[in-house]
Amino acid sequence: MADKQNLLPAGTKVPEHIGVIMDGNGRWAKKRGLPRKVGHREGAQTFRTITRHAKKLGVKYFTVYAFSTENWKRPKDEVEAIMDLFEKYLDEVRDFIEENIRICFIGDRSMLRERLQQKMRSVEEDSLHFDSMTLLIAINYGGRDEIAHAARALAYKVQSGEMEASEIDALALENELYTSKLDGDKAPDVDLVIRPSGEQRLSNFMIWQAAYAEFYYTNILWPDFKPKDLEAAVIAYSDRHRRFGGI
Ligand code: FPP
């Protein structure tokens, strides 16, 4: 394993959990006169490279926003292209498994193709005991949808008498989020959210888990995002002073 000391200045604080909004694939393709799906293909390649690099830097949880609950509004052929890339990745993911990376998915998978759902489950099971880093892929994911899903789960528990309504607090709700249901593990809050492509929005990404996250924006389009850009984001994070509501 590469020594993170060789990659980052001495004393750099590496975030335990990084979230990435992989934005700018469409614009990357448009700039080159190519179909948007080519941008997504390049973006999928960048995703592979940057995930491996996150592990080398010592990141423990790495979450990527691959497809949002709102992305269904896109043209059918673009949605199909993203799902195809995702399925191709699941077929090739054995490479990641060799790298000791655990893979989990967050989001409402009930709306995805049946074959895709089976492959997701099988990758989760096969990588269950890998522990160098946990990769969370957010697919058909929306922060509001996740919170509504958690609220519903708590309502059912109250309805069945398993708990009292008065017992519902922030921790009880958090424990029902997708990020708390990782087959025996619970991801910590996101420390750093990276959004390339010049947009400065959260776009319904981990709205609960990012409550105290630091944000890093860059104009680079996702397909052009390089390992050194991830290092720059980590170094910027390391220089921030986090107060968590204190002083
Ligand atoms: C946002 O860029 C990107 C997406 C909605 C899709 C991201 C998907 C991938 C990178 C590939 C599949 C994922 C995996 C995990 C293999 P955009 O299309 O909104 O870009 P734009 O703002 O320039 O139009």
Side-chain angles (χ1 to χ4, degrees):
M1 191 176 118
D3 182 359
K4 65 184 178 185
Q5 299 303 324
N6 295 336
L7 300 166
L8 295 166
T12 303
K13 279 186 277 156
V14 176
E16 187 182 11
H17 189 171
I18 296 183
V20 180
I21 302 175
M22 304 188 288
D23 198 10
N25 297 343
R27 276 163 287 167
W28 184 93
K30 193 169 175 220
K31 262 177 42 182
R32 288 163 177 77
L34 297 166
R36 292 177 57 85
K37 61 183 175 193
V38 179
H40 294 311
R41 197 178 68 206
E42 288 304 310
Q45 209 44 52
T46 299
F47 152 75
R48 287 171 166 86
T49 308
I50 297 300
T51 299
R52 288 191 170 98
H53 202 63
K55 187 195 97 167
K56 282 187 194 151
L57 296 183
V59 174
K60 284 294 164 200
Y61 293 84
F62 190 69
T63 302
V64 292
Y65 205 6
F67 193 84
S68 77
T69 44
E70 288 70 39
N71 285 153
W72 298 105
K73 289 186 242 165
R74 294 184 177 216
K76 195 166 176 286
D77 66 327
E78 183 173 341
V79 171
E80 289 290 305
I82 294 173
M83 293 300 160
D84 288 347
L85 279 168
F86 185 53
E87 195 165 340
K88 183 165 175 279
Y89 166 70
L90 291 179
D91 291 335
E92 294 167 3
V93 84
R94 308 292 141 187
D95 296 354
F96 271 178
I97 288 178
E98 279 161 27
E99 291 191 39
N100 201 22
I101 294 175
R102 181 176 178 202
I103 301 168
C104 305
F105 304 94
I106 55 170
D108 176 4
R109 42 184 103 181
S110 65
M111 281 168 73
L112 304 174
R113 305 167 183 164
E114 187 56 45
R115 201 178 54 214
L116 202 55
Q117 289 186 45
Q118 281 167 11
K119 287 183 182 179
M120 287 160 70
R121 198 63 212 144
S122 132
V123 164
E124 278 176 331
E125 282 166 7
D126 292 349
S127 69
L128 191 60
H129 56 288
F130 293 111
D131 61 0
S132 66
M133 183 177 86
T134 298
L135 167 65
L136 291 159
I137 302 180
I139 183 150
N140 193 27
Y141 173 88
R144 289 180 175 176
D145 188 58
E146 180 180 37
I147 293 169
H149 176 270
R152 203 158 48 241
L154 289 174
Y156 283 131
K157 283 188 177 173
V158 171
Q159 197 177 39
S160 70
E162 205 181 309
M163 73 188 293
E164 298 287 331
S166 59
E167 289 174 304
I168 296 177
D169 57 11
L171 182 62
L173 194 134
E174 185 176 286
N175 284 338
E176 297 297 334
L177 298 175
Y178 294 130
T179 45
S180 300
K181 303 273 177 201
L182 307 179
D183 283 321
D185 191 23
K186 172 177 170 176
D189 275 357
V190 184
D191 300 301
L192 172 66
V193 173
I194 300 174
R195 184 164 192 162
S197 92
E199 310 290 356
Q200 302 194 358
R201 291 188 288 275
L202 199 48
S203 300
N204 206 12
F205 179 60
M206 303 193 106
I207 51 179
W208 180 287
Q209 299 88 338
Y212 286 99
E214 297 291 325
F215 289 87
Y216 181 84
Y217 301 106
T218 165
N219 289 331
I220 298 163
L221 302 175
W222 177 247
D224 291 329
F225 195 89
K226 299 281 181 286
K228 68 171 174 40
D229 300 312
L230 181 65
E231 290 165 20
V234 168
I235 291 166
Y237 165 86
S238 181
D239 287 341
R240 307 250 181 108
H241 175 49
R242 301 180 79 193
R243 296 199 296 275
F244 297 98
I247 51 171

